[in-house]
Amino acid sequence: MYLATANAHKAVELGRLLGTAVAPLVGYPAVEETGATFLDNARLKAAAGRAAAPQDAWVLADDSGLAVHVLGGAPGVESARYGGPDLDDAGRVGHLLRELGEAEDRRARFVCVLVALGPDGEELVAEGTLDGTITCAPRGAGGFGYDPVFVPAGDTRTVAELAPEEKDAISHRGRAARALRATLPAS
Ligand code: ITT
């Protein structure tokens, strides 16, 4: 299965979650993410990957992000562009913390939608979520994106303070990947 993503962190996590069955799609052209939902955008990426992958292979795409309750679900599908196109992960985290300010309600949810397209046009969709809260300052060096400011419900550590296998066990991507694996045809 080929992975249509320009995000190396996602490739590492999905490689861990789905095993050697997953290979980066060299030359994958990043598409404009114009969809209104995670599913729309995952489909756009999967279709672009489909066009670039060998005909007989499955193609997988991931659209994911963070929905913050008190921000009305923002940044949501805009998570990768939150605060402007020139920010990096740390810059987006800083923007999020400024937007939240001293807000008491810091509930948030990570969402991951995976779309797999088969050689004959079959489509498989899987979704996973992780509920938690946003901290007041970043902590930890693992993971990527918003992990340093996200504490999963029931834990005190941020996702960036978890070991990779601990993140995989509870993460939105881990849950989506396990659901997808259960529906993929045996290869
Ligand atoms: P591709 O579209 O090429 O796959 P991308 O990074 O643009 O890569 P998205 O459009 O799906 O991916 O944006 C996802 C955003 O949500 C991005 O800012 C990530 O850092 C963040 N994100 C996704 N999964 C995350 C995770 O497991 N932990 C922390 N942040 C995450």
Side-chain angles (χ1 to χ4, degrees), residues 4-7 10 13 28 33 45 62-66 79-81 89 92 110 144-147 167 172-173:
T5 184
N7 183 324
K10 285 185 185 177
E13 291 194 1
Y28 161 71
E33 296 178 27
K45 293 185 229 186
D62 167 316
D63 198 59
S64 45
L66 180 71
S79 292
R81 299 170 292 281
D89 278 354
R92 283 186 281 276
F110 271 132
F144 68 100
Y146 298 95
D147 284 344
K167 176 176 178 181
H172 47 309
R173 187 165 294 102

Side-chain angles (χ1 to χ4, degrees), residues 8-32:
H9 299 285
K10 285 185 185 177
V12 167
E13 291 194 1
L14 287 166
R16 262 196 332 252
L17 289 160
L18 295 167
T20 52
V22 138
L25 185 55
V26 178
Y28 161 71
V31 287
E32 231 193 304

